[in-house]
Amino acid sequence: MKPFIKSDEIQNQIDSTLNSVLTAFNTMSQIKNQLLERNSETNQFLVKFEITNDAEKTWKGLSNSQSKLYQYADPVLEKWNQRTKITNTQLKVLNQSVQTQIQTILSDKERLIQRTQLKRKASVALGKSSQGTETHDVEIFDDSDFYAQQLRDLVESGIGGTEGDTMDSAVFAKKLTQAQKQLIKKRRKVDTKASKGRKLSYAVQPKLQNFMFPEKVEIPVIAEDLINN
């Protein structure tokens, strides 16, 4: 980047930003190390590395640390996946292990990266004079389609989506509205006027059964003499 820099002020700002990023990275690394050390199951998978201005060396240390941690994370992830696994599913993908599903998705990294570089909005990148006619831009990172798919899966699973369902935007919006209505129905009804003494609160008592009012009985005169004796 230095050949494109013509101002010492800009270079100082870049250096300051780099130092701030390294400081934040070092802080997060220390927090992760402390959490791993406190857990007796994970402290043996802790690999410390030095964070420096050398990006290649720092990235290599981070990769080695993560590879060691995967030895603990993968079995735990698979264990909880088996506990929450859908029984009798006909989806071939869900019958695979979590690691296999992740590796299948990451097998084509170039395609995943290109999906995040699509121009989904009519905006001009900083430093460019015009939008251009290209459909991709390497300076863009937009993963909104991932969260849209997450929402789509959530709605389909909540209102009876089945395998092979392909919904367009209109059908998806309709099902989303139905899911919101069902959520509103499940909410507890609360009387907002019953607070601050604006409404009398009372509980209806059940009717009394086999109850008889007392009857006045005249006491004989001789009863007082008997008591005194």
Side-chain angles (χ1 to χ4, degrees):
M1 185 178 290
K2 288 186 178 181
F4 301 96
I5 298 174
K6 300 180 181 180
S7 173
D8 294 337
E9 182 181 358
I10 296 178
Q11 180 61 48
N12 293 333
Q13 292 178 355
I14 293 176
D15 294 339
S16 176
T17 303
L18 179 60
N19 292 332
S20 299
V21 171
L22 291 176
T23 301
F25 187 19
N26 189 29
T27 302
M28 291 186 292
S29 179
Q30 292 178 359
I31 294 175
K32 186 191 75 171
N33 294 341
Q34 292 177 3
L35 293 175
L36 294 177
E37 288 177 347
R38 293 180 181 179
N39 191 339
S40 59
E41 296 182 0
T42 59
N43 54 13
Q44 56 182 325
F45 300 98
L46 174 61
V47 176
K48 297 183 179 180
F49 60 96
E50 184 180 2
I51 300 175
T52 62
N53 292 335
D54 189 347
E56 184 177 355
K57 182 179 179 180
T58 302
W59 185 259
K60 183 177 180 181
L62 176 62
S63 300
N64 294 335
S65 176
Q66 291 297 108
S67 299
K68 185 68 174 178
L69 186 59
Y70 287 153
Q71 299 178 12
Y72 167 78
D74 289 347
V76 173
L77 184 61
E78 183 62 29
K79 180 185 72 173
W80 287 103
N81 176 63
Q82 293 296 332
R83 290 189 177 184
T84 59
K85 191 174 183 180
I86 303 175
T87 58
N88 298 328
T89 177
Q90 298 180 356
L91 296 178
K92 182 179 179 181
V93 177
L94 295 181
N95 289 329
Q96 300 175 352
S97 63
V98 178
Q99 290 81 6
T100 304
Q101 296 181 40
I102 295 176
Q103 292 175 2
T104 302
I105 295 174
L106 296 179
S107 60
D108 191 359
K109 292 185 179 180
E110 187 66 23
R111 174 177 171 271
L112 294 177
I113 295 175
Q114 289 181 356
R115 288 179 60 183
T116 62
Q117 297 174 348
L118 286 173
K119 289 184 177 181
R120 297 185 175 91
K121 299 179 181 179
S123 58
V124 180
L126 183 64
K128 294 186 177 181
S129 57
S130 61
Q131 183 179 357
T133 58
E134 299 85 359
T135 58
H136 290 76
D137 190 347
V138 295
E139 297 182 359
I140 292 178
F141 181 81
D142 186 357
D143 58 349
S144 58
D145 60 335
F146 169 77
Y147 296 100
Q149 183 62 37
Q150 292 285 83
L151 178 59
R152 186 185 300 272
D153 295 341
L154 177 63
V155 172
E156 289 180 358
S157 62
I159 54 180
T162 58
E163 181 186 1
D165 284 348
T166 55
M167 295 188 300
D168 55 14
S169 58
V171 178
F172 177 72
K174 182 178 180 180
K175 288 195 173 186
L176 179 60
T177 304
Q178 294 176 356
Q180 292 175 345
K181 290 182 179 180
Q182 292 179 1
L183 181 61
I184 295 175
K185 290 181 180 180
K186 293 180 180 179
R187 292 178 181 174
R188 183 180 178 184
K189 294 183 179 180
V190 179
D191 191 356
T192 57
K193 297 182 179 180
S195 60
K196 300 181 180 179
R198 291 178 294 179
K199 189 175 181 180
L200 182 62
S201 300
Y202 62 93
V204 180
Q205 298 292 339
K207 294 182 179 180
L208 297 175
Q209 296 181 2
N210 300 326
F211 176 78
M212 184 180 64
F213 284 97
E215 295 180 359
K216 186 176 181 180
V217 179
E218 295 182 0
I219 302 176
V221 181
I222 193 175
E224 185 177 353
D225 297 336
L226 293 174
I227 294 174
N228 291 334
N229 293 333

